[in-house]
Amino acid sequence: MATAVKRLGLYAQQCSCRALSQRARTPVSPAPWQRPFSSTSPVLVRDPAVSGFSKRLVDNLDSEDLAQFNSLSAEEQQEHQAEWEQGLESELFAEQDRSIRGEIDSMIREQDYKFPDIRDRPPARKKQGFWTMGEEAENMGPDEEFNEDDISSLAHGELEQQREFREYARLAAWEMPMLSKLVTPFQPPSQAQPLRFRYTSYMGEQHPAANKVVVEFCPADLPDLSPRQRDKLVKLAGARYNPATEIVKISCEMFETQAQNKRYLGDVVGSLMREARDAADDFADVPFDFRHHKPKRTHAFPDAWLLTPERKQLLEQRRASRLQLEAQRAENGEVVDGVEAIEKMLAAPVKETIQLMAAAEQPVPKGKMGKKQVARRM
């Protein structure tokens, strides 16, 4: 722990030194005195006569700049000297910062510590399913170049479907017969098991409704309840009670797993039974309210529509008489054969066809012309 704190402390000190050095090195607009002495920069110069660094501008000027400096007034010389000292201080601080930063870098290299980078971790892959299909399509990248050496994507999908069919065929042929060893005889639920839980499965696929659990029970099947207590339980259930089937139905899907939803439903049923057994208030003055239930209307099949032997015989007689009348009309020539009439019209010349069409038309009495006849004459 101490080593980690030391590393973090060194890293923070290094960052602070760098920040200070960045502020110290910010360029300052050139002062008027720097224009005639452009060749002179605020660099630390050793003075052989004095131990340490020289802080006088005169000691760092050449002969030409020194003559120009001496020609200035005393106020201007003091201003140039102040600017020179300020530049020396910033450069001295920068040199100290470089030396401290070098020591810190060497200490960190000795510790051989590396901060982990979250960006280096690969993203977590999501399980592909029918309901999550296509969510990673944007990370697939561009399509590869097609060189006419492969089948189309539609053909690949057909092959994948055939592979899936064959996989299930192998399961049905080799693994499903082994399930017969696990067969147990069906035993109907006893009176001690009045609750019926229903689950929804999507065969391994992810779905929002996969965690839903439904419980159904009949108040008359619950143990140790008197008729008055059952009536109170029905009143407490409210709209979840179906008076037509006498079943209470409650569902839950607010938890992530089916086990949690089932446990919650069990607690709800237990609390309903405790409240029903509470003798402090039996809800005798509260009437039943079944307005939420809308009964379905069922229509009875008419007895006259039933196919009795007498009715079947009557229908057969009607069909026989109808066929006999059709045969008599065909013999008398009253039935027009449409195919024969069309062939005759096509084989006849144009003038005869017009005459036949005019003869076939019947005159319409005056004042009784329909819309089609009026439109045709117009």
Side-chain angles (χ1 to χ4, degrees):
M1 185 68 182
T3 307
V5 172
K6 182 179 180 182
R7 293 173 186 171
L8 295 176
L10 292 175
Y11 184 73
Q13 185 179 2
Q14 181 184 7
C15 294
S16 62
C17 293
R18 288 181 180 175
L20 291 174
S21 62
Q22 292 291 340
R23 290 196 298 269
R25 294 176 183 176
T26 52
V28 184
S29 59
W33 67 273
Q34 290 181 344
R35 296 194 187 100
F37 312 116
S38 59
S39 61
T40 307
S41 59
V43 180
L44 299 178
V45 180
R46 291 282 185 176
D47 189 0
V50 183
S51 61
F53 297 101
S54 175
K55 296 185 178 180
R56 295 179 57 192
L57 176 60
V58 181
D59 300 337
N60 297 274
L61 298 178
D62 53 5
S63 58
E64 296 180 0
D65 293 339
L66 181 59
Q68 189 176 1
F69 179 78
N70 293 330
S71 63
L72 299 176
S73 61
E75 296 179 357
E76 292 178 351
Q77 290 181 0
Q78 292 179 2
E79 183 181 356
H80 299 334
Q81 180 65 28
E83 294 288 342
W84 173 261
E85 293 177 357
Q86 183 179 0
L88 285 179
E89 291 178 359
S90 62
E91 187 65 24
L92 178 61
F93 184 82
E95 184 173 351
Q96 293 177 356
D97 178 30
R98 285 193 294 272
S99 62
I100 294 173
R101 188 166 62 252
E103 295 178 1
I104 293 175
D105 291 340
S106 62
M107 295 175 64
I108 291 178
R109 282 194 298 271
E110 291 177 0
Q111 297 291 336
D112 192 15
Y113 181 78
K114 181 180 179 182
F115 292 96
D117 193 355
I118 303 177
R119 295 173 296 180
D120 296 339
R121 301 176 183 174
R125 293 184 59 85
K126 188 183 294 183
K127 182 181 178 182
Q128 281 284 346
F130 179 78
W131 302 104
T132 59
M133 190 180 299
E135 292 188 1
E136 298 183 359
E138 56 184 10
N139 301 327
M140 294 176 62
D143 296 337
E144 297 180 358
E145 185 178 359
F146 185 65
N147 298 323
E148 303 293 340
D149 57 349
D150 196 2
I151 59 178
S152 62
S153 58
L154 184 62
H156 276 292
E158 191 70 23
L159 286 177
E160 187 65 27
Q161 188 178 12
Q162 293 296 329
R163 294 190 188 99
E164 187 175 0
F165 289 162
R166 293 188 178 187
E167 181 182 0
Y168 283 110
R170 286 192 293 269
L171 290 175
W174 298 101
E175 297 187 14
M176 284 188 177
M178 301 180 183
L179 297 178
S180 60
K181 302 177 182 179
L182 306 177
V183 173
T184 56
F186 174 73
Q187 295 181 358
S190 61
Q191 292 292 335
Q193 300 172 346
L195 303 181
R196 304 290 182 268
F197 290 95
R198 188 185 69 195
Y199 310 93
T200 305
S201 176
Y202 291 87
M203 302 299 291
E205 299 290 343
Q206 296 181 358
H207 194 273
N211 57 348
K212 183 178 180 180
V213 181
V214 181
V215 63
E216 297 179 354
F217 63 91
C218 180
D221 296 339
L222 296 179
D224 303 333
L225 286 181
S226 63
R228 183 169 294 182
Q229 292 175 352
R230 293 170 187 168
D231 294 343
K232 181 180 179 181
L233 190 145
V234 169
K235 295 175 183 178
L236 290 174
R240 297 171 179 82
Y241 177 74
N242 188 353
T245 59
E246 299 182 356
I247 296 295
V248 177
K249 180 179 178 181
I250 309 174
S251 63
C252 178
E253 54 180 339
M254 62 181 176
F255 298 102
E256 296 182 358
T257 60
Q258 291 182 348
Q260 292 174 322
N261 292 322
K262 182 178 180 181
R263 181 68 269 170
Y264 175 77
L265 291 176
D267 296 340
V268 170
V269 174
S271 61
L272 283 175
M273 294 182 65
R274 286 192 300 271
E275 291 294 333
R277 294 192 182 101
D278 188 5
D281 187 3
D282 57 355
F283 285 17
D285 55 339
V286 178
F288 290 99
D289 187 5
F290 298 143
R291 289 177 295 177
H292 60 275
H293 177 66
K294 305 298 181 183
K296 296 182 179 180
R297 297 180 61 184
T298 57
H299 301 279
F301 194 81
D303 297 337
W305 293 2
L306 297 176
L307 287 177
T308 59
E310 294 79 7
R311 185 171 178 78
K312 289 181 180 180
Q313 185 178 1
L314 179 61
L315 292 176
E316 291 294 338
Q317 292 177 0
R318 290 181 180 179
R319 293 193 188 100
S321 61
R322 191 180 300 111
L323 292 175
Q324 185 177 1
L325 291 175
E326 291 290 338
Q328 292 178 1
R329 291 180 61 188
E331 291 178 359
N332 299 333
E334 297 178 1
V335 179
V336 179
D337 190 357
V339 178
E340 183 180 355
I342 292 173
E343 291 179 354
K344 186 183 295 185
M345 295 288 289
L346 294 176
V350 179
K351 293 183 179 180
E352 296 180 1
T353 304
I354 295 174
Q355 294 177 0
L356 291 174
M357 291 177 62
E361 292 182 356
Q362 298 179 0
V364 181
K366 295 182 180 180
K368 295 184 179 181
M369 294 178 63
K371 295 182 179 179
K372 294 184 179 180
Q373 286 78 5
V374 173
R376 188 181 300 171
R377 291 196 175 187
M378 292 177 64

